[in-house]
Amino acid sequence: MAKELKDLTKRADNYSQWYNELVVKADLAEQSAVRGCMVIKPYGYAIWEKMQRRLDDMFKETGVQNAYFPLLIPKSFLSKEADHVKGFAKECAVVTHYRLKTDPEGKGVIVDPEAKLEEELIIRPTSETIIWNTFRNWIKSYRDLPLLINQWCNVFRWEMRTRLFLRTAEFLWQEGHTAHATAQEAQAKAEEMLNIYADFAEKCMAIPVVKGVKTANERFAGALETYTIEAMMQDGKALQSGTSHFLGQNFAKAFDVKFIDKNNKLDYVWATSWGVSTRLMGALIMTHSDDNGLVLPPALAPIQVVIVPIYKSSEQLATIDAKVAPIVENLKKRGISVKYDNADNKRPGFKFADYELKGVPVRLVLGPKDIENGTIEVMRRDTLEKQSVAFDGIEDYVAHLLDEIQANIYDKALKLRESKTYKVDTWEDFQAQIEKGGFILAPWDGTTETELKIKELTKATIRCIPMGCEDEEGKDMLTGKPSHRRVIFARNY
Amino acid sequence: MAKELKDLTKRADNYSQWYNELVVKADLAEQSAVRGCMVIKPYGYAIWEKMQRRLDDMFKETGVQNAYFPLLIPKSFLSKEADHVKGFAKECAVVTHYRLKTDPEGKGVIVDPEAKLEEELIIRPTSETIIWNTFRNWIKSYRDLPLLINQWCNVFRWEMRTRLFLRTAEFLWQEGHTAHATAQEAQAKAEEMLNIYADFAEKCMAIPVVKGVKTANERFAGALETYTIEAMMQDGKALQSGTSHFLGQNFAKAFDVKFIDKNNKLDYVWATSWGVSTRLMGALIMTHSDDNGLVLPPALAPIQVVIVPIYKSSEQLATIDAKVAPIVENLKKRGISVKYDNADNKRPGFKFADYELKGVPVRLVLGPKDIENGTIEVMRRDTLEKQSVAFDGIEDYVAHLLDEIQANIYDKALKLRESKTYKVDTWEDFQAQIEKGGFILAPWDGTTETELKIKELTKATIRCIPMGCEDEEGKDMLTGKPSHRRVIFARNY
């Protein structure tokens, strides 16, 4: 592991390679034998579980209930919403048969040609269609609304170019699907869920995000409005970290979901959907980590504190063991996850490098000298600062330090984003700036045509029209046509 | 809902229909538009989540870590273990294409014939193959062992005859996969996990189970030994509720997973796998429920206590609201999930029937008379007994009652099983008894031939060779050949 760390590419040398290596070296995930599908390793999965648990609690506090819908979707369902099928047909995994058999010609096991399905089934790329087909039977009257459903599951999109966590054919996610009596209520729910995502990103993942609205061109296939949270990675590129969609009555109409309103009138139901995925793992890694490995926010670290003993004899180790035991117990009582690593088969230097690579927020080191002096060595992963502090009251110190680290890495990421966010008004400046990375706030004439032209010329996309910003009259930097607001351009993951 | 309850078929009239109706009426699950795939509704999913959480904690206490492996498995992987492919090839969902396209002849969306996969992919029916292919890179030396991995996921088996929860094409489960340096250690792990399943079934689900070993004929495809827990449903039929397999070196050999042992010798790794699924929901429903609906063990009930007010005026309701608020708060403080249903749009009688149908363990009813008398009405779902008890200290009473209900439904199920377990020695008695249901402890000559003959003649299978029973010399009831132990015969789900 120590060797592996030494081999980690530096961010400044090749940011993309640094990321790819780090995901594997830190035991988060690896490629599988199946094209584009990853294996999420125990350490990576433990982080994902913490994210799930926290989000799930947040959803449930708003009245959302979990349920489970089928993995497979009849091909005809996908076609019922015109934009939706356009968006997903090109990357579908299609099930056509339901049996294998032994090849009569001795070529091993083959697909049984007699077991062909009448209608092909698609592995869900997202579940709007199968869920709205189900909602038809659940919703009869306004009394059944709002219906607030979420599912945690796997989805599949046949991506051509994949990267661990960031873009994989199969990924894990949650998808929320809600049904409402009015457009206003659905729209408000879509915004509420976006706010939950933003809160989660900022408070739990320590990632500052910009909340905004997607342009028509970047909207979810089948949505009237897509809300997004956009984060900036250390290389200045954007990463879309969560989306929430106001679907209008599109899916209700496609699947004939009507309800009787309070005035006894029949109307189609209004819908939202919203999701975050294992992609967030990519955002987490790329926002905070450094050339020594992962940097994890304490709120999501599977191990928050590691304690390493320094000793030359088993007597010394026994003394240290005895001193450490109550610290472990006290930290656990406070809900802090702590590991005491007194394994004898690895040197301290190896352990240090390994826990740095894994992003453990706080490391405590205790040796005979410390015991003599009544001190303990504390290293914080975010700044790599070491300090000798009083042994007594170390639990308070650590608890406080964890909070400080959580706040510090958020601030650091925010400062980076601020330092790489630019107001640009001319096409010349835009072209120069986009090569250097960052978010560019620039005027835009509001047309898809211009948006696509800029993308073609610079690989920059409109990440979002930021929410809560004032209107500002200006001129589109490319076309010179009137612009009423600045939007965020960036290259993105 | 009250009407729906009235319509519930009685167990005595048609047990099978009673089950099918109850699953739907109690809002646990329903058929989906996809053949054999169910929708797990929020109330059913909430129970499953409680089961997951508890099992997951139990696994983690033994050092098991969660991870995630791909949904899709290359066809060739399945073939690498000879028994395994025989067991699963006949019911595989096969992915052959990765794209849809618009039909040039205008027939809507079709499978793109140009997007055919070189090698077909199978939706996992179980993950031994893909996991052991991954383990090859994770295991080099005895220091990497034991490797204790679990995943929570969906699996797919193209079952021809499906029933909600009991047998569905797609189901949710956990599958544990462990790797060990010795046969003894692997065998011990397989038994340890079976004991965890038995503990969970008995303490949490309140279902008594028999622990046993499967016959060769009933073994998991690829295992050397399959351990099982078998439960008896109210109709006397058996339901296999969890299995744990000692896989020997079969998968290590198929996927070439070797390790260097302490003596520097290269050897194949020893394996186990073990799983329980949403099938347990079927066991839970069929073990405890009655003609009024679900009976849930308090340990798994999403709502443990419901409080219903009886009132004629809004003043009365306000008085009751005020009396109930501290009870709700106190119960929640004790970790008891409680719902105060003062919704105005449903009559008390409707609420009573609904919460009975949903299996809420304890119902409290408070009206003006109770307040006058300083009492509150308590109804326990398991016995349907109503009692008026002192209002003061009701929290203690309820907490104690929940424990009592948990114990009582277990005892009831155990008594039923005992009353329907028979020792039988002759073929004549066996034939008569098997028609009446129940577990039959009978001598067996140990051959698959006899086992299959008995199944053919009576539809009874050997559920298991019970563990911890004494050897007993006898004669096989069908063939008259020597038998050394009694085994359990039963018809089964």
Side-chain angles (χ1 to χ4, degrees):
Chain A
M1 200 66 76
K3 184 184 166 296
E4 284 184 3
L5 170 58
K6 218 180 58 191
D7 293 343
L8 182 64
T9 295
K10 302 232 173 312
R11 287 166 294 170
D13 293 343
N14 188 334
Y15 189 78
S16 173
Q17 197 173 318
W18 164 81
Y19 172 81
N20 294 343
E21 289 176 11
L22 180 53
V23 171
V24 173
K25 284 179 199 287
D27 275 338
L28 300 174
E30 64 184 38
Q31 298 292 354
S32 78
V34 185
R35 213 195 124 283
C37 295
M38 65 182 157
V39 173
I40 306 180
K41 298 183 78 174
Y43 194 63
Y45 201 81
I47 299 170
W48 174 243
E49 277 184 316
K50 286 205 153 202
M51 291 170 55
Q52 280 189 299
R53 186 70 65 98
R54 181 80 160 249
L55 275 168
D56 197 64
D57 287 345
M58 291 171 90
F59 297 157
K60 282 178 178 155
E61 272 166 35
T62 69
V64 170
Q65 294 182 298
N66 287 335
Y68 188 76
F69 298 85
L71 170 71
L72 299 178
I73 296 178
K75 193 189 68 181
S76 58
F77 278 29
L78 211 62
S79 317
K80 286 199 180 182
E81 211 288 331
D83 287 333
H84 196 68
V85 68
K86 259 189 245 163
F88 291 105
K90 284 175 205 146
E91 48 186 25
C92 275
V94 189
V95 176
T96 57
H97 292 74
Y98 58 86
R99 192 163 61 221
L100 298 176
K101 67 165 193 173
T102 309
D103 183 9
E105 292 170 29
K107 286 181 190 160
V109 175
I110 59 164
V111 176
D112 186 344
E114 284 175 26
K116 194 170 187 307
L117 290 171
E118 274 182 47
E119 183 183 2
E120 295 89 352
L121 297 167
I122 309 304
I123 300 182
R124 62 183 162 217
T126 179
S127 302
E128 276 77 7
T129 57
I130 189 89
I131 288 180
W132 277 87
N133 186 65
T134 308
F135 278 3
R136 187 176 52 248
N137 298 319
W138 293 7
I139 299 168
K140 298 293 167 202
S141 129
Y142 68 93
R143 285 185 211 89
D144 302 319
L145 299 173
L147 182 60
L148 311 175
I149 299 292
N150 177 60
Q151 85 172 340
W152 291 95
C153 66
N154 51 346
V155 286
F156 205 97
R157 299 172 188 180
W158 209 283
E159 301 279 356
M160 279 301 143
R161 296 174 57 192
T162 62
R163 288 185 77 188
L164 291 170
F165 290 126
L166 294 173
R167 197 169 292 277
T168 48
E170 183 189 14
F171 55 92
L172 304 183
W173 80 345
Q174 61 68 218
E175 47 179 322
H177 298 270
T178 70
H180 305 267
T182 67
Q184 292 72 11
E185 200 187 301
Q187 185 109 32
K189 176 58 73 174
E191 291 188 38
E192 179 191 356
M193 299 320 292
L194 190 82
N195 286 330
I196 283 181
Y197 289 154
D199 255 24
F200 171 75
E202 303 202 327
K203 289 178 186 149
C204 195
M205 302 180 71
I207 300 179
V209 293
V210 176
K211 291 187 268 189
V213 180
K214 287 284 184 191
T215 61
N217 176 56
E218 297 275 343
R219 244 176 235 151
F220 175 76
L224 296 193
E225 199 82 278
T226 287
Y227 301 94
T228 179
I229 50 171
E230 300 283 328
M232 184 193 287
M233 304 297 99
Q234 290 176 65
D235 60 352
K237 282 168 81 173
L239 194 146
Q240 175 183 307
S241 303
T243 49
S244 181
H245 316 292
F246 169 56
L247 303 172
Q249 295 175 312
N250 286 352
F251 286 91
K253 284 178 180 165
F255 289 90
D256 197 29
V257 186
K258 291 178 188 164
F259 75 109
I260 293 173
D261 71 13
K262 281 186 184 169
N263 307 317
N264 222 18
K265 239 189 62 195
L266 206 60
D267 194 9
Y268 288 107
V269 174
W270 298 85
T272 81
S273 69
W274 28 275
V276 296
S277 74
T278 36
R279 199 160 203 242
L280 284 179
M281 292 287 294
L284 187 73
I285 297 158
M286 285 206 291
T287 301
H288 305 301
S289 302
D290 62 25
D291 293 346
N292 288 359
L294 284 183
V295 174
L296 292 177
L300 292 176
I303 304 166
Q304 295 173 304
V305 179
V306 66
I307 308 177
V308 179
I310 307 281
Y311 59 93
K312 286 184 182 146
S313 66
S314 54
E315 289 74 33
Q316 285 183 348
L317 179 59
T319 311
I320 297 169
D321 285 352
K323 293 286 273 184
V324 167
I327 303 182
V328 169
E329 199 182 324
N330 291 334
L331 289 177
K332 279 188 181 162
K333 268 187 202 152
R334 293 171 187 235
I336 294 170
S337 72
V338 53
K339 178 177 174 179
Y340 177 43
D341 186 353
N342 61 354
D344 205 29
N345 57 355
K346 290 171 190 159
R347 284 167 300 105
F350 180 93
K351 291 178 186 175
F352 294 174
D354 192 29
Y355 293 115
E356 275 175 36
L357 180 60
K358 296 271 175 71
V360 176
V362 171
R363 182 183 81 206
L364 303 178
V365 179
L366 194 67
K369 277 242 170 89
D370 294 299
I371 292 180
E372 236 178 83
N373 299 335
T375 59
I376 187 163
E377 187 192 280
V378 182
M379 201 275 283
R380 54 187 285 181
R381 177 63 186 88
D382 58 338
T383 62
L384 296 170
E385 283 165 352
K386 272 192 289 199
Q387 216 172 337
S388 182
V389 309
F391 185 88
D392 290 333
I394 185 65
E395 296 91 342
D396 281 337
Y397 186 92
V398 164
H400 180 259
L401 183 57
L402 288 170
D403 289 342
E404 201 179 303
I405 293 170
Q406 182 82 24
N408 179 53
I409 62 172
Y410 175 82
D411 289 344
K412 203 172 155 187
L414 183 61
K415 280 200 187 99
L416 181 97
R417 188 185 79 189
E418 283 169 351
S419 76
K420 292 197 180 194
T421 300
Y422 313 94
K423 280 198 183 181
V424 165
D425 289 285
T426 71
W427 180 238
E428 209 178 355
D429 288 353
F430 183 84
Q431 285 170 298
Q433 190 54 58
I434 203 72
E435 293 301 326
K436 297 179 203 151
F439 285 0
I440 302 184
L441 281 159
W444 168 56
D445 65 17
T447 68
T448 300
E449 198 191 339
T450 304
E451 181 183 4
L452 293 176
K453 187 81 190 164
I454 292 171
K455 185 176 177 183
E456 189 195 321
L457 293 171
T458 65
K459 291 186 195 143
T461 53
I462 299 180
R463 300 319 304 153
C464 68
I465 305 159
M467 289 160 91
C469 286
E470 305 248 317
D471 287 356
E472 183 183 335
E473 297 306 312
K475 280 181 185 170
D476 186 283
M477 51 185 184
L478 187 66
T479 64
K481 288 184 194 163
S483 157
H484 308 295
R485 289 183 87 171
R486 286 179 190 272
V487 299
I488 295 180
F489 286 91
R491 287 184 182 154
N492 68 291
Y493 283 94
Chain B
M1 198 66 76
K3 183 182 166 300
E4 284 185 3
L5 169 58
K6 218 180 55 192
D7 292 345
L8 182 63
T9 294
K10 303 234 173 310
R11 286 167 296 170
D13 292 343
N14 187 335
Y15 189 78
S16 173
Q17 196 174 318
W18 164 81
Y19 172 81
N20 293 343
E21 288 176 9
L22 180 53
V23 171
V24 173
K25 284 180 198 288
D27 275 337
L28 299 173
E30 63 183 39
Q31 298 291 356
S32 78
V34 185
R35 214 194 122 285
C37 295
M38 65 182 158
V39 172
I40 306 179
K41 298 184 79 174
Y43 194 63
Y45 201 83
I47 299 170
W48 174 243
E49 276 185 316
K50 286 205 153 202
M51 292 171 56
Q52 281 189 300
R53 185 69 65 98
R54 182 81 160 249
L55 276 168
D56 197 64
D57 288 345
M58 291 172 90
F59 298 156
K60 282 178 178 156
E61 272 167 35
T62 70
V64 169
Q65 294 183 298
N66 287 335
Y68 188 77
F69 297 85
L71 170 72
L72 298 179
I73 296 178
K75 193 189 67 182
S76 59
F77 279 29
L78 211 63
S79 317
K80 288 200 178 183
E81 213 286 331
D83 287 334
H84 196 67
V85 68
K86 258 188 246 163
F88 291 106
K90 283 173 208 149
E91 49 185 23
C92 276
V94 189
V95 176
T96 58
H97 291 74
Y98 58 84
R99 193 165 59 224
L100 298 176
K101 68 165 193 174
T102 309
D103 183 9
E105 291 169 31
K107 284 181 194 159
V109 176
I110 59 165
V111 176
D112 186 344
E114 285 175 26
K116 194 170 186 307
L117 290 170
E118 274 183 46
E119 182 183 3
E120 295 89 352
L121 298 166
I122 309 303
I123 299 182
R124 62 183 163 219
T126 179
S127 301
E128 276 77 8
T129 58
I130 189 90
I131 286 180
W132 277 87
N133 186 65
T134 308
F135 278 3
R136 186 172 57 248
N137 299 319
W138 292 8
I139 299 168
K140 299 292 168 203
S141 129
Y142 69 90
R143 285 186 210 90
D144 302 319
L145 299 173
L147 182 60
L148 311 174
I149 299 292
N150 177 61
Q151 84 171 342
W152 290 96
C153 66
N154 51 348
V155 285
F156 205 98
R157 299 173 188 177
W158 208 283
E159 301 278 358
M160 278 302 141
R161 295 175 57 191
T162 62
R163 287 185 76 187
L164 291 171
F165 290 125
L166 294 174
R167 195 170 294 276
T168 48
E170 183 189 15
F171 54 92
L172 303 184
W173 80 344
Q174 61 67 220
E175 46 179 324
H177 298 271
T178 71
H180 305 267
T182 67
Q184 292 71 12
E185 201 186 300
Q187 186 109 32
K189 176 58 72 175
E191 291 187 39
E192 180 192 354
M193 299 321 292
L194 189 81
N195 286 329
I196 283 181
Y197 288 155
D199 257 25
F200 171 75
E202 302 202 327
K203 289 178 187 151
C204 196
M205 301 180 71
I207 300 179
V209 292
V210 175
K211 290 188 269 189
V213 180
K214 287 284 182 191
T215 61
N217 176 57
E218 296 275 342
R219 246 175 233 150
F220 175 75
L224 297 191
E225 199 82 278
T226 287
Y227 301 95
T228 180
I229 50 171
E230 300 282 330
M232 185 193 287
M233 303 298 98
Q234 290 177 64
D235 61 351
K237 282 169 81 173
L239 193 146
Q240 176 182 306
S241 304
T243 50
S244 180
H245 317 291
F246 170 56
L247 303 172
Q249 296 175 313
N250 286 353
F251 286 92
K253 284 178 179 164
F255 289 91
D256 197 30
V257 186
K258 292 178 188 165
F259 75 109
I260 295 172
D261 71 12
K262 282 186 182 168
N263 306 316
N264 222 19
K265 239 188 61 195
L266 206 60
D267 193 9
Y268 289 107
V269 174
W270 298 85
T272 81
S273 69
W274 27 276
V276 296
S277 73
T278 35
R279 198 159 204 245
L280 284 180
M281 291 287 295
L284 186 73
I285 297 159
M286 283 205 293
T287 301
H288 304 301
S289 302
D290 63 22
D291 293 345
N292 288 358
L294 284 182
V295 174
L296 292 176
L300 293 176
I303 303 166
Q304 295 173 304
V305 179
V306 65
I307 309 177
V308 178
I310 306 279
Y311 57 94
K312 287 188 181 141
S313 67
S314 53
E315 289 74 30
Q316 285 183 347
L317 179 59
T319 312
I320 297 168
D321 284 352
K323 293 286 272 185
V324 167
I327 303 182
V328 169
E329 199 182 325
N330 291 335
L331 288 175
K332 279 189 180 163
K333 268 188 202 151
R334 293 171 187 236
I336 293 170
S337 73
V338 53
K339 179 177 174 180
Y340 177 42
D341 186 355
N342 60 356
D344 204 29
N345 56 355
K346 289 169 193 163
R347 282 167 299 104
F350 180 93
K351 292 178 186 175
F352 293 174
D354 192 29
Y355 293 115
E356 275 176 35
L357 180 61
K358 295 273 175 67
V360 175
V362 173
R363 183 184 78 205
L364 304 178
V365 179
L366 194 66
K369 276 240 171 88
D370 294 300
I371 293 180
E372 233 176 86
N373 300 334
T375 59
I376 187 164
E377 186 192 281
V378 181
M379 201 277 282
R380 53 187 287 181
R381 177 65 185 85
D382 58 339
T383 61
L384 295 171
E385 283 165 354
K386 271 191 291 195
Q387 217 172 336
S388 183
V389 309
F391 185 89
D392 290 334
I394 184 65
E395 296 90 343
D396 281 335
Y397 186 92
V398 164
H400 181 260
L401 182 57
L402 287 170
D403 289 343
E404 202 179 301
I405 293 171
Q406 182 82 23
N408 179 54
I409 62 172
Y410 175 82
D411 289 344
K412 202 172 155 189
L414 183 61
K415 281 201 188 100
L416 182 97
R417 189 185 79 190
E418 285 169 350
S419 76
K420 293 198 179 192
T421 299
Y422 314 94
K423 279 197 183 182
V424 165
D425 288 287
T426 70
W427 180 239
E428 208 177 353
D429 287 353
F430 183 84
Q431 284 170 297
Q433 190 56 57
I434 202 72
E435 293 301 326
K436 296 181 203 151
F439 285 1
I440 301 185
L441 281 160
W444 167 57
D445 65 17
T447 69
T448 299
E449 199 191 336
T450 304
E451 182 182 2
L452 293 176
K453 187 81 191 163
I454 293 172
K455 186 176 175 183
E456 191 195 319
L457 293 170
T458 65
K459 291 186 195 148
T461 54
I462 300 182
R463 301 317 306 152
C464 67
I465 306 158
M467 291 160 91
C469 285
E470 306 247 319
D471 287 355
E472 182 182 339
E473 297 305 313
K475 281 182 184 171
D476 185 286
M477 52 184 183
L478 186 65
T479 65
K481 289 184 192 164
S483 158
H484 309 296
R485 290 185 85 173
R486 287 179 189 272
V487 299
I488 295 181
F489 286 91
R491 288 186 180 153
N492 68 290
Y493 282 95

